[in-house]
Amino acid sequence: MKIKKFTAASMQDAAKQIKKELGNDAVILHSKQVKKRKWLGLRSQQAVEVIAVLDRDVREARKTPPAAGEEMKKTEKTEKTEKAEPVQPPRLSDHSTSDDLAHYKEVLPEPLKKAERLLKQAGLPDHTQNAVLSELLRSSIASGDLTEENVNSKLQDLLVKKLPSADRWQEGIQSKYVVLFGSTGAGKTTTLAKLAASSMLTEHKKIAFMTTDTYRIAAVEQLKTYAELLQAPLEVCYSKEECLKAQEKFAEYDHVFIDTAGRNFKEEQYITELQEMIPFDSGLQSFLVLSASAKYEDMKQVLKQFSGVPVNQFIFTKTDETASLGSVFQVLSESRIGAAYLTNGQDVPEDILSVSPKEFVRMLLT
Ligand SMILES: Nc1nc2c(ncn2[C@@H]2O[C@H](COP(=O)(O)OP(=O)(O)OP(=O)(O)O)[C@@H](O)[C@H]2O)c(=O)[nH]1
Ligand SMILES: [Mg+2]
């Protein structure tokens, strides 16, 4: 893709320059009338500023491109009747060069510049920002509509398409066993309590708790507090046998919420223990809990570490503690695993929500 800004006395002169420099395949992206200063700024003259783009995909995306001559006439006409309006792109042959959008960002029209700012604020990695902006540019030009509203809605659609499909997001609690695992302090126990409480209070289910987190007394105490508040039984399991016994004990319950130890994700032993203790083969929903405020590289490490255990969905915690959801977006996009819940505070049970990919993209861009 090649983008360039031209300033000329008339639209016709600009078209000649574009044709000379970019060839017959160039497409006009945007044009406006400007005042050109002459004689040390003492006099000014009307001029036209045109942004043109040369890109194979853009041309192919335009389904019924008008002939070059016709379009050129149309462009001249438009010049007389419209001021500072985007002009229909003329069809001018076949070239394509570097796709490095970075060189061209300063000449982008305002709605695309705004999209660029939003992508940056969202904290997406540079390569994702550039890929999205490049696609956005192409599809905006192809549609011939560079209004802020259209560009913004196209931006949202492009981002949604990069996420796992909506059916992988909002499943709710369906299985008998529900287990949360993840790295230390991610918010597993608090989130487990939120899920259990809403299952009991909203869905009127009979619930119980199990924990394999026996490393710290405080961890058991923390879960015990929630169990007592909900008047639900809790079984602490130190071995696989105790886990099996607890399963028998809770045979009549609708849902059993299982807490696991918070361990450093770099410890392989932790994953082996999980594989032994958790009833993965008895109708289990498993959630990998990641803090939304963690760095993308760390999230990727955790995901890799848990590749040995089945992960149904993600839960992203602490969205209230981060200004950007860029790393969450990137992890979702690369893993193709959906997000069941986001948590946004310490209060049990209210600070939890489930969102669709569309809603998530809106959050990402705000
Ligand atoms: N701001 C905020 N804090 C949260 C959220 N979820 C959990 N926390 C807090 O994070 C801290 C750790 O939460 P826990 O639920 O104990 O985390 P954990 O993953 O069980 O921790 P370990 O068992 O030690 O690995 C607590 O202070 C929680 O109140 C959230 O969505 N937002
Ligand atoms: Mg815990």
Side-chain angles (χ1 to χ4, degrees):
M1 179 183 290
K2 209 170 180 181
I3 302 177
K4 203 167 172 188
K5 185 156 80 181
F6 297 86
T7 309
S10 70
M11 201 64 194
Q12 202 176 17
D13 286 349
K16 272 186 203 153
Q17 278 185 46
I18 294 166
K19 216 168 167 178
K20 196 172 160 205
E21 288 198 34
L22 298 180
N24 284 337
D25 264 351
V27 155
I28 290 179
L29 180 58
H30 185 72
S31 74
K32 66 176 179 187
Q33 295 215 325
V34 290
K35 281 201 165 71
K36 211 172 161 185
R37 297 244 162 243
K38 289 186 109 185
W39 301 103
L40 300 168
L42 294 172
R43 289 176 64 188
S44 67
Q45 189 184 336
Q46 281 289 344
V48 47
E49 192 180 276
V50 182
I51 299 168
V53 59
L54 177 64
D55 184 79
R56 190 194 304 261
D57 292 347
V58 164
R59 191 170 51 81
E60 283 171 9
R62 290 180 60 77
K63 289 186 186 111
T64 50
E70 275 170 36
E71 189 60 36
M72 206 59 93
K73 274 185 225 150
K74 203 161 141 198
T75 307
E76 284 168 39
K77 225 173 167 184
T78 316
E79 184 198 348
K80 283 178 200 146
T81 52
E82 288 176 0
K83 277 185 187 176
E85 282 295 317
V87 190
Q88 279 299 308
R91 179 181 177 247
L92 298 171
S93 49
D94 204 23
H95 300 280
S96 189
T97 51
S98 156
D99 218 337
D100 188 3
L101 203 61
H103 295 301
Y104 311 116
K105 280 180 181 166
E106 73 256 32
V107 301
L108 293 177
E110 187 47 37
L112 286 157
K113 272 193 178 149
K114 189 176 170 201
E116 188 206 350
R117 284 196 298 274
L118 288 175
L119 289 168
K120 199 173 225 156
Q121 274 163 23
L124 294 168
D126 286 352
H127 65 92
T128 308
Q129 283 184 42
N130 283 345
V132 173
L133 201 55
S134 196
E135 279 177 66
L136 181 64
L137 183 56
R138 287 190 180 115
S139 68
S140 303
I141 300 167
S143 74
D145 184 348
L146 276 163
T147 57
E148 187 169 330
E149 195 186 357
N150 185 55
V151 170
N152 198 34
S153 120
K154 277 205 157 36
L155 172 65
Q156 290 190 22
D157 291 349
L158 278 171
L159 290 167
V160 167
K161 268 196 210 136
K162 294 200 175 293
L163 290 169
S165 55
D167 57 325
R168 297 189 198 181
W169 288 59
Q170 291 164 312
E171 286 178 5
I173 298 299
Q174 289 159 354
S175 305
K176 166 143 186 183
Y177 297 99
V178 176
V179 65
L180 266 56
F181 36 66
S183 49
T184 325
K188 298 177 293 297
T189 310
T190 313
T191 308
L192 194 78
K194 290 174 184 175
L195 293 176
S198 87
S199 177
M200 182 189 222
L201 305 171
T202 319
E203 315 240 329
H204 309 291
K205 301 286 184 193
K206 194 174 174 192
I207 64 136
F209 288 102
M210 276 167 65
T211 181
T212 63
D213 187 359
T214 53
Y215 295 89
R216 291 180 303 116
I217 303 279
V220 176
E221 288 305 315
Q222 186 189 2
L223 193 59
K224 215 181 214 170
T225 308
Y226 289 123
E228 280 167 7
L229 279 170
L230 294 170
Q231 296 183 327
L234 161 69
E235 283 295 313
V236 182
C237 310
Y238 289 85
S239 64
K240 187 177 173 70
E241 288 67 37
E242 285 180 343
C243 276
L244 290 169
K245 262 193 205 153
Q247 279 177 256
E248 274 173 38
K249 192 173 167 190
F250 296 141
E252 302 302 318
Y253 282 74
D254 296 319
H255 297 298
V256 180
F257 291 89
I258 309 171
D259 197 13
T260 60
R263 305 289 279 186
N264 188 313
F265 61 81
K266 289 178 186 148
E267 287 178 44
E268 276 181 28
Q269 171 71 12
Y270 170 52
I271 306 296
T272 316
E273 275 174 26
L274 270 182
Q275 284 165 331
E276 279 174 14
M277 306 265 283
I278 306 298
F280 281 110
D281 42 7
S282 17
L284 175 111
Q285 241 176 312
S286 62
F287 297 100
L288 181 57
V289 182
L290 295 173
S291 165
S293 55
K295 284 190 293 212
Y296 162 68
E297 289 301 331
D298 289 343
M299 288 194 200
K300 238 170 78 170
Q301 274 285 345
V302 180
L303 191 57
K304 197 172 158 207
Q305 193 71 19
F306 282 91
S307 56
V309 291
V311 173
N312 293 122
Q313 287 180 300
F314 289 119
I315 295 178
F316 290 99
T317 57
K318 309 189 186 186
T319 57
D320 55 310
E321 282 188 352
T322 179
S324 70
L325 292 170
S327 25
V328 174
F329 177 91
Q330 198 64 20
V331 166
L332 285 163
S333 164
E334 285 173 15
S335 69
R336 312 308 297 165
I337 298 172
Y341 301 98
L342 305 180
T343 77
N344 54 358
Q346 294 177 292
D347 291 340
V348 179
E350 54 266 48
D351 291 340
I352 188 162
L353 66 151
S354 56
V355 293
S356 66
K358 241 182 175 161
E359 287 161 340
F360 176 77
V361 164
R362 269 187 225 127
M363 287 172 75
L364 175 82
L365 295 176
T366 4

